Amino acid sequence: MIHADYWSQASGWEYPNGSIMSPYIGSQDTPRFVTITSSPSTAGNKWTNIAGPPTTSEPYARLRAAMSWLLGQPGAPMIYYGDEYGEWGGADPNNRASWRGDSSSLSADEQTTLALVRKLGQARKNIVALRRGAYVHVFANEMVVVFARVTSAGDVALVAVNRTSSSQLAAFSLPPSLGIADGTTLTDALGGASAKLVGQTVTLTLAPWGQAILAP
């Protein structure tokens, strides 16, 4: 998460002001995310040892964490079709299976993933800072990243993501430049618990592979 935070900042240093980039985690040129995380031995195969669906829920939980990071990023995030629910597949052409969204063929893990991605998209639609705000570092360690999105008009949102299989308690100070007054309650747009800024510090518990999008 330290690297994810650093390179998100570095993108802002490199590209001209006003550039609209397209971050992504999957494309037609890569094996599917859940296959890379669940069955790397099949991820590079095209015609033999073809990848199948993950046999555990963890790859989908990892994907939900990745999607939470992606849809919190500046620019115009790109979602390769099927990644919104966790399509599996190895190298091209194994990564080009027919789209199964909104169908009865989705597993429980796929339906859970699609439901979260819909919430993330709705949050991005509703919260102007998620669409227009600059990236601001807040907190990062190997397990959790927290970053802010801030517009020139003062709109603010916080994105927090846990990349581990255990709950994580994160306590972090908010930069004064965010302009959030002490005592402000931050509401999670994804339906989780709210958090309060006390002494310029927010204390947040994230579920395994969990996420939060907090805004005043």
Side-chain angles (χ1 to χ4, degrees):
M1 291 309 225
I2 293 172
H3 282 82
D5 178 57
Y6 174 82
W7 288 111
S8 293
Q9 294 180 72
S11 292
W13 305 333
E14 293 295 325
Y15 297 115
N17 187 39
S19 297
I20 300 177
M21 310 307 292
S22 288
Y24 63 92
I25 61 171
S27 76
Q28 74 278 3
D29 295 322
T30 62
R32 293 287 187 168
F33 186 98
V34 295
T35 296
I36 293 172
T37 59
S38 64
S39 183
S41 65
T42 64
N45 290 293
K46 298 182 179 182
W47 311 113
T48 60
N49 193 25
I50 298 299
T55 57
T56 69
S57 296
E58 184 172 301
Y60 297 100
R62 288 176 178 265
L63 175 61
R64 291 193 289 273
M67 282 292 189
S68 301
W69 174 86
L70 175 66
L71 288 172
Q73 291 292 300
M78 187 275 285
I79 298 176
Y80 184 48
Y81 83 96
D83 282 352
E84 69 275 16
Y85 59 80
E87 186 62 67
W88 66 85
D92 182 14
N94 192 217
N95 61 358
R96 297 173 183 258
S98 296
W99 185 72
R100 295 184 290 115
D102 283 332
S103 79
S104 59
S105 66
L106 295 185
S107 69
D109 285 316
E110 290 170 333
Q111 291 176 20
T112 298
T113 302
L114 179 59
L116 175 67
V117 173
R118 284 173 166 159
K119 286 183 179 180
L120 292 166
Q122 192 64 47
R124 196 173 174 96
K125 177 181 178 181
N126 293 342
I127 302 173
V128 66
L130 285 180
R131 300 194 311 274
R132 304 295 184 187
Y135 185 100
V136 176
H137 161 82
V138 174
F139 172 85
N141 59 24
E142 293 293 350
M143 300 168 288
V144 172
V145 65
V146 182
F147 57 90
R149 300 288 308 283
V150 186
T151 69
S152 58
D155 303 291
V156 182
L158 299 173
V159 179
V161 183
N162 173 15
R163 65 168 293 273
T164 76
S165 58
S166 59
S167 296
Q168 296 294 330
L169 178 65
F172 48 89
S173 297
L174 294 187
S177 61
L178 298 185
I180 301 177
D182 204 47
T184 298
T185 296
L186 305 172
T187 301
D188 184 6
L190 302 180
S194 59
K196 193 170 185 178
L197 182 60
V198 179
Q200 286 301 306
T201 298
V202 175
T203 302
L204 182 65
T205 299
L206 292 169
W209 312 107
Q211 52 281 131
I213 296 178
L214 301 169

